[in-house]
Amino acid sequence: MSRVLGIETSCDETAAAVVERLADGSGVIRSNIIHSQIGDHALYGGVVPEIAARAHLARLDRLIGRAMEEAECGFGDLDAIAVTAGPGLIGGLLTGLMMAKGLAAATGRPLYAVNHLEGHALTPRLTDGLDFPYLLLLVSGGHSQFVEVRGVDDYHRLATTIDDALGEAFDKTAKLLSLPYPGGPAVEQAARKGDANRFDFPRPLSGRGELNFSFSGLKTAVRQAAQAAAPLAQQDVADICASFQQAIVDILADRTRKMIGLFEARHGSGGSRALVLAGGVAANQAIRSALESETARRGWRLIAPPPELCTDNGAMIAWAGLERLGRFEPAGFDIAPRSRWPLDEDVAGLIGSGRRGVKA
Ligand code: KG4
Ligand code: ZN
């Protein structure tokens, strides 16, 4: 059995967790403490990097203490320390990395510098014991990508966004309609009472051979519809949200169909026949149920980790550390954080892709 402490500070969640890996390879979460800074940033309508870094610094030591206490273990019981080293906001990453280096130096335990996106990508192995290879759809405030997960440290990006990230599109739509931050949950809630057929918003790049995403044209169409219908009554807002969300659902269903075809062409009947949905947008129920039927139609299953493991957390970082433990060299104390760090370093970045580029 191995036990790892995971630390996550790449954006606006301060998080620490202790996770164990048993002899049969399965994982047990002993503690998973998350402090969301949403309240600190809400006034500004988005994450303010300097405020985020200070808030991490103010809480991280006590948060780690709580994670250790809840797991009922001491630092001497750990086999390694794992920490997010990128991608993300540099001030927050530095806070977590320096703390992890200090703990590793003091305890003599190895340090693993984890790519935040790898944390998301490997989570279904912790929650569902999923075998490689599998297909991942990562949709968050900073990323929208399909990834073929072949093994630990072996990721192949199949498609990405050429402009906005999906969470960003939800957040911008919310802002435009004067809905609260963060926008995704607010848009989803408003959409429940709306008519999805009232506005015929575009489904950019759909229906053709195109695999990438584009959301900026959709955003423009939403803005034009909102201006044309102004002043907006509550029902107008609900109808715009429902029509916007329906366009997103159709776009994701279209790409999922294509990706399953591509994956099957590459792997035949092998592989896990599972689509993993991760990132904050994975909390959206309309998206979940659409992708559930889309995957079921092809004899696949949809795996969406529980919400607290879909959004940023320390357990996924601890688990990535456990997957690396004994198989990969630990990091040296000279390791530096990386604000940009693609999961698949072999593919060229697309212009404008994941502009915020700070969070997954
Ligand atoms: O993964 P996450 O917590 O942080 C990032 O890495 O960005 O994702 C946050 C994003 C935000 O853009 C938020 O609006 C979106 O996920 N989100 C949602 C929902 N809940 C969160 N988008 C659509 N529907 C939701 N229910
Ligand atoms: Zn993330």
Side-chain angles (χ1 to χ4, degrees):
M1 193 267 286
S2 318
R3 190 180 290 126
V4 169
L5 167 69
I7 298 171
E8 158 62 40
T9 55
S10 67
C11 195
D12 60 345
E13 268 96 21
T14 313
V18 175
V19 179
E20 290 173 357
R21 189 171 201 179
L22 309 181
D24 65 2
S26 65
V28 179
I29 299 175
R30 295 294 301 267
S31 63
N32 190 23
I33 314 279
I34 303 172
H35 171 76
S36 167
Q37 303 175 359
I38 281 183
D40 298 332
H41 302 286
L43 187 64
Y44 308 97
V47 178
V48 183
E50 182 64 17
I51 293 178
R54 285 170 192 270
H56 288 307
L57 193 59
R59 288 186 188 265
L60 187 57
D61 54 352
R62 275 172 294 148
L63 211 117
I64 291 172
R66 272 179 60 204
M68 297 297 289
E69 231 171 73
E70 220 172 85
E72 292 174 356
C73 75
F75 289 108
D77 302 320
L78 296 172
D79 294 287
I81 317 276
V83 61
T84 303
L89 298 171
I90 205 73
L93 291 170
L94 266 171
T95 309
L97 192 55
M98 293 310 289
M99 175 71 78
K101 284 182 186 178
L103 286 172
T107 59
R109 297 298 186 265
L111 173 72
Y112 283 92
V114 171
N115 181 315
H116 177 87
L117 305 175
E118 177 171 69
H120 283 300
L122 297 178
T123 297
R125 290 174 48 76
L126 166 64
T127 55
D128 294 77
L130 199 59
D131 287 327
F132 299 120
Y134 52 87
L135 191 60
L136 167 75
L137 171 58
L138 180 61
V139 273
S140 70
H143 296 267
S144 306
Q145 46 185 284
F146 272 104
V147 178
E148 182 183 44
V149 183
R150 301 162 169 169
V152 179
D153 210 29
D154 189 2
Y155 310 101
H156 179 56
R157 195 187 73 194
L158 298 168
T160 186
T161 175
I162 59 170
D163 39 56
D164 293 346
L166 183 52
E168 207 178 349
F170 269 96
D171 292 338
K172 285 179 178 171
T173 295
K175 207 167 188 175
L176 184 78
L177 300 173
S178 304
L179 293 172
Y181 167 85
V187 169
E188 180 175 18
Q189 204 188 343
R192 286 205 189 100
K193 297 184 205 104
D195 173 6
N197 295 316
R198 175 160 162 207
F199 299 96
D200 187 18
F201 291 136
R203 275 77 169 146
L205 309 184
S206 289
R208 294 183 271 145
E210 181 62 52
L211 299 175
N212 285 317
F213 295 110
S214 166
F215 297 112
S216 75
L218 176 57
K219 181 184 64 191
T220 306
V222 168
R223 191 177 55 239
Q224 286 166 348
Q227 279 163 353
L232 298 177
Q234 218 173 343
Q235 191 58 48
D236 297 320
V237 170
D239 292 347
I240 291 174
C241 287
S243 303
F244 164 80
Q245 189 171 269
Q246 188 57 48
I248 297 293
V249 161
D250 291 349
I251 293 166
L252 293 182
D254 172 82
R255 298 306 189 283
T256 296
R257 263 193 303 279
K258 289 173 182 160
M259 284 298 157
I260 288 179
L262 187 72
F263 192 92
E264 287 183 344
R266 291 161 77 99
H267 297 281
S269 53
S272 285
R273 299 178 74 78
L275 171 66
V276 174
L277 184 60
V281 184
N284 186 291
Q285 284 306 325
I287 292 174
R288 277 185 186 228
S289 53
L291 295 190
E292 235 153 47
S293 29
E294 203 55 59
T295 44
R297 198 170 300 150
R298 303 293 297 256
W300 279 45
R301 53 191 175 121
L302 181 74
I303 296 183
E308 70 277 14
L309 295 176
C310 261
T311 50
D312 295 347
N313 64 87
M316 70 179 189
I317 304 304
W319 177 254
L322 282 161
E323 294 255 41
R324 288 183 162 264
L325 188 64
R327 291 203 272 165
F328 291 81
E329 280 297 308
F333 284 127
D334 56 349
I335 182 133
R338 294 175 63 178
S339 59
R340 287 194 170 266
W341 185 3
L343 202 46
D344 180 351
E345 306 229 34
D346 296 335
V347 292
L350 289 176
I351 295 168
S353 102
R355 265 187 311 152
R356 261 167 56 187
V358 294
K359 207 184 161 193

